[in-house]
Amino acid sequence: MASNAAVPFWRAAGMTYITYSNICANLVRNCLKEPHKSEALTREKVHFSVSKWADGKPQKPTIRSDTPEE
């Protein structure tokens, strides 16, 4: 049974919530004045590790950075 409830506009636009929240966060960061803007831009960077698995055991992890394109 289909629901007639209102659909969030980000879903109606074909976005995921993560995409929508990233766009909003970028807009807020770009509106800040210095020195708060540069501090917020440094917190935007994400670091994570990736491990491949072989024979049920993790291999040596590699450190990755997901930094935004400038």
Side-chain angles (χ1 to χ4, degrees):
M1 185 169 168
S3 173
N4 291 333
V7 176
F9 67 91
W10 50 266
R11 173 93 51 202
M15 288 188 223
T16 64
Y17 183 75
I18 297 296
T19 304
Y20 165 72
S21 64
N22 283 337
I23 290 170
C24 292
N26 284 332
L27 289 170
V28 170
R29 282 187 212 105
N30 289 329
C31 292
L32 295 172
K33 294 181 180 179
E34 290 299 337
H36 305 291
K37 184 175 184 176
S38 57
E39 290 175 17
L41 289 173
T42 59
R43 286 193 306 265
E44 178 182 22
K45 297 174 186 167
V46 177
H47 303 285
F48 57 96
S49 65
V50 176
S51 295
K52 293 190 179 191
W53 287 69
D55 299 324
K57 296 181 182 179
Q59 303 299 310
K60 183 176 179 183
T62 57
I63 306 297
R64 306 281 309 261
S65 289
D66 181 22
T67 55
E69 302 290 327
E70 294 191 28

